[in-house]
Amino acid sequence: MSKKVIIIGGGIIGLSSAYFLQKEGHNVTIIEKSDITSGASFVNAGYITPSHIIPLASPGMIAKGIKMMFNSASPFYMKPRWDTEFFKWSWYFHKSSTKEKVDRAIPVIKDINILSRELFEDIKTSGDLGDFQLERKGLLMLYKTKEAYLHEKEVADKASFLGLEVQELDQKQLERLEPGVAIDAKGAIHYECDAHSTPSQFMPKMVTYLKDIGVAIKTNEEVLDVKVKDRRIHEIKTSKETYTADEIILAAGSWSGKISKKMGLDTPLQGGKGYSINVERPTGITIPAILMESKMAVTPMEGFTRFAGTMEFSGLNDLVRNERVMAIANGAKKYYPSVDINTKEIANVKTGLRPVSPDGLPYIGRSSKLENLTLATGHAMMGWSLGPATGKLVAEIIDDKKTSMNIDAFSPDRRF
């Protein structure tokens, strides 16, 4: 049965949800506060990463955050501030950062990433969006120190045990695999299971396709109020209009927590800011890499190479901290000595806010408090990777179908 569905949020999660819902015959409207040309869905590293099996909330992360709190150039930065919501989230994050919880999360993260990789491939094969970059060259974890190697080797062993394709490379093997650029690293762990894409290419194509098949996309429109009665959302009031629908999908990224409060819910969520620099010159880099000690990502995209990184918790803002930008530029130089990021490229840095739940797992599922609300947010650094899978799961939830995988771990009602 066709339903009238409103999706709050026009990032990769919202667009992917619209894509699969429309294919099931639903009448879909997307409400987005921006013009869908910027933000985390455009400036991320473009990774599709079954290898990212360890959630952000893992043992030792809070200690690292406190240690780095007074260094605003550090890869993981928590700005000291008086914010009760942040304090509460931090406490939940601490409680979630246990070995037992991480071990339970690992197979679930792997499964949803593999599902999403397959769905990216299905979208490519369908021709719905025309041609777009989707390459499966894997992901190199480049390391300079034995400590970094041993840390990643532990993750690689777990990934291999779960059936993911992983190889260890020494310097000579690395040189043969990536001959076009000098790499200053002792070696790499190559996750052959991973793929990559160009978000700024994919997103406009998806927007165009959705409009062509009848999805209404309302841009520059902010949700101001939500009318709730008898455990249902009856109206959504925006800066331009008032809407009614059978089903509501909350996919507003880092702003989902604030909007959920308008619905009478408490959804612990913080925006984790990332930065990215594009180099629109040949770099010789052909395989995506994570520079382990610098904790940053490098991706050869369509027409440019992207250098991205950092996780900054400083509130919902787009302020640029120059010291963090320079940390990315300097970090790239340490691994790719022949690659110089110039001042113009540094000045064109972009930021995006990734929605981070306390345990690093997304919220995907119906709210127990509101019968016609489904949440699809909180994906942290895996938002791009998990876009299609989340969209598919949302459509299955709305249609009351058996979901493609068990989503109990993503329950919006889970306790921390």
Side-chain angles (χ1 to χ4, degrees), residues 298-317:
V298 182
T299 315
M301 294 188 178
E302 198 72 37
F304 57 92
T305 303
R306 174 163 290 173
F307 298 84
T310 83
M311 179 63 83
E312 174 187 327
F313 293 102
S314 59
L316 298 179
N317 62 70

Side-chain angles (χ1 to χ4, degrees), residues 21 28 42 64 68 75 145 161 163 176 201 255 320 348 370:
L21 284 164
V28 182
F42 284 82
K64 288 181 184 177
M68 295 177 176
T145 63
F161 178 77
R176 284 198 295 270
Q201 178 193 58
W255 287 264
V320 173
N348 287 329
L370 296 171

